[in-house]
Amino acid sequence: MLASGISCYLFGIARPYNIHNLWYFVLVQAVGGVFQTSGWPGVVTVVGNWFGKGKRGLIFGIWNSHTSLGNILGSLIAAEFVESDWGLSFMVPGIIMGLIGFIIFLFLVPNPIDIGCIPPVSPKYRKLDAAHSSDEGSSADECENIHNRLTYRCAYREQVDVDDIENVRSETSPILPRHRHIQESDRGNAIGFMKAMMIPGVVEYSLSLFFAKLVSYTFLYWLPLYIAASTTYSTTLSADLSTFFDVGGIIGAIAAGVLSDYSGTSALTCAVMLGFAVPMLFVYDYIGSTSLATTILLLLIVGLLVNGPYALITTAVSAELGTHPSLGNNSKALATVTAIIDGTGSIGAAVGPLLAGMVANWAGWHNVFYMLMIADMLALLLLSRLVYRDVKLFRRRRRIV
């Protein structure tokens, strides 16, 4: 965060110092991008460490609203200075980010173990609970289940050995020393890149996020300009209106998380939202600029449908895959999996705005929206195998109930 703030600040000082070298801007943006993308795997892991798997979709959905709130704040700051001193549009956010980064450095605790707290729910506790659960639901079995759970929890709280502590250590929390008897091949080691890629669902979600993030970041960077070009609104008002897309994104992230928790089908939740996003992009393109109220309403809906799947994949889905049963006892995969998924999406975030600029100049804004609709359809198509699996699991659970 400190380095990202400095990079943003360096971009803004180009105005007072009259820097007009293209490569200066390319270098500053590239360096800033490296530092910003390195942050996401760490913060997802920290939240996963503290909150476990209970209501993961809802918790991550609420937490993920910070991305949209940051976009809103950034847009409002940029709009405040864009017509008077565009350098401040970068320098002020850079200063804010640097200050908050220093506060995070002082106070963030990556793992409950670092301050002597018990992790939320250990994998062994979940397995024991499932193993002793009764399908018949008799009162005797229920009492036995409660007894087993309470007995295990008491034993776990009182007798956490070195191996258990090592098992729940996060890759962002290397404070606890390794026990001398634990070998490098044991469960405390972080997994490699190729092993993370082999986790079922990682490749599909990564490629789907490529296109989902392409659409989201195209809106983030080009929406104010599109509103100004397609309406008679001022630059400042256009920037202010673009924030409604992010307001819809907050609602979409929470809605996607709740639906995922309720149904247990993350891929299906993403697919439904992506499927509805395609026609709504078409509607916004053709009638979105007819009136102020129409613009606001459609931006809210489009933001909800576009950012919902993107938020779910980069948070709850990444955390779930990072603790996939195929990993066995290896507990240090969450950040690696998150980095793979979000890193692939970041490539789409870079490609989308670049393509949008070229398409807008050569073929007009209508074709930009066609490009975004195609991207959402590809994101949906890449999830088709996982959607089929989710539907089968959902039907099986319904038959059991």
Side-chain angles (χ1 to χ4, degrees):
M1 289 184 70
L2 288 167
S4 297
I6 292 172
S7 300
C8 192
Y9 187 86
L10 290 175
F11 197 96
I13 64 173
R15 186 183 187 279
Y17 286 94
N18 292 318
I19 299 174
H20 301 288
N21 190 316
L22 175 62
W23 290 108
Y24 171 82
F25 295 102
V26 171
L27 178 63
V28 169
Q29 285 286 76
V31 171
V34 168
F35 286 113
Q36 287 198 33
T37 54
S38 68
W40 190 253
V43 294
V44 171
T45 302
V46 170
V47 178
N49 289 342
W50 276 96
F51 292 100
K53 288 189 174 183
K55 297 187 181 301
R56 175 169 277 172
L58 174 61
I59 291 171
F60 271 112
I62 296 173
W63 172 78
N64 189 72
S65 64
H66 73 270
T67 58
S68 295
L69 291 173
N71 291 340
I72 293 170
L73 180 61
S75 297
L76 293 176
I77 293 175
E80 182 68 25
F81 301 108
V82 68
E83 295 181 346
S84 57
D85 186 349
W86 64 264
L88 293 176
S89 297
F90 295 91
M91 295 165 68
V92 173
I95 293 171
I96 294 173
M97 191 168 192
L99 290 174
I100 299 301
F102 182 68
I103 294 174
I104 293 298
F105 170 74
L106 293 177
F107 296 107
L108 178 65
V109 179
N111 197 308
I113 292 179
D114 295 343
I115 55 174
C117 294
I118 299 297
V121 180
S122 75
K124 291 188 297 183
Y125 174 71
R126 287 194 301 272
K127 291 177 183 176
L128 181 71
D129 190 21
H132 290 80
S133 62
S134 173
D135 291 336
E136 298 177 1
S138 65
S139 59
D141 289 342
E142 184 64 25
C143 291
E144 183 181 356
N145 291 339
I146 295 173
H147 173 74
N148 288 333
R149 288 196 295 268
L150 292 176
T151 301
Y152 180 79
R153 175 163 292 188
C154 292
Y156 179 74
R157 286 179 179 273
E158 295 175 2
Q159 300 179 7
V160 177
D161 59 15
V162 175
D163 288 344
D164 290 328
I165 293 175
E166 187 64 29
N167 188 42
V168 295
R169 277 179 50 191
S170 167
E171 52 273 14
T172 62
S173 179
I175 294 176
L176 295 176
R178 291 183 61 87
H179 194 269
R180 63 178 179 273
H181 297 299
I182 298 177
Q183 303 298 322
E184 288 300 317
S185 60
D186 287 342
R187 57 190 173 185
N189 289 339
I191 67 171
F193 177 82
M194 293 307 299
K195 188 173 181 180
M197 291 286 290
M198 293 172 62
I199 297 173
V202 168
V203 173
E204 289 95 330
Y205 276 118
S206 297
L207 295 177
S208 179
L209 184 63
F210 174 92
F211 292 103
K213 213 166 179 180
L214 182 153
V215 177
S216 179
Y217 272 70
T218 299
F219 270 94
L220 176 64
Y221 286 113
W222 285 98
L223 185 56
L225 182 60
Y226 169 74
I227 295 175
S230 61
T231 64
T232 58
Y233 304 143
S234 66
T235 305
T236 300
L237 180 58
S238 297
D240 291 340
L241 287 174
S242 69
T243 61
F244 284 100
F245 175 82
D246 291 297
V247 174
I250 296 174
I251 302 171
I254 297 173
V258 171
L259 290 173
S260 177
D261 283 340
Y262 177 77
S263 64
T265 55
S266 298
L268 181 60
T269 300
C270 293
V272 170
M273 299 185 82
L274 288 169
F276 280 109
V278 174
M280 288 309 304
L281 286 171
F282 181 83
V283 171
Y284 175 71
D285 178 33
Y286 277 90
I287 67 171
S289 58
T290 54
S291 68
L292 184 62
T294 303
T295 299
I296 293 173
L297 177 62
L298 290 178
L299 282 176
L300 289 171
I301 297 174
V302 171
L304 184 154
L305 296 173
V306 168
N307 282 348
Y310 155 43
L312 184 62
I313 293 174
T314 54
T315 55
V317 169
S318 297
E320 190 69 29
L321 293 176
T323 55
H324 195 272
S326 65
L327 296 170
N329 289 328
N330 196 318
S331 63
K332 303 180 73 173
L334 206 160
T336 304
V337 170
T338 304
I340 292 172
I341 294 176
D342 191 61
T344 306
S346 295
I347 300 174
V351 171
L354 178 65
L355 289 178
M358 294 188 294
V359 173
N361 289 332
W362 295 344
W365 283 106
H366 287 304
N367 288 288
V368 172
F369 278 89
Y370 291 139
M371 178 193 78
L372 299 180
M373 285 184 266
I374 292 172
D376 266 343
M377 286 188 285
L378 290 173
L380 174 58
L381 180 64
L382 288 163
L383 292 177
S384 56
R385 187 180 72 87
L386 300 178
V387 171
Y388 176 70
R389 184 192 65 185
D390 276 359
V391 171
K392 286 177 59 178
L393 291 174
F394 184 75
R395 288 179 176 176
R396 189 179 306 167
R397 287 197 300 267
R398 292 292 297 272
R399 285 199 297 267
I400 292 175
V401 173

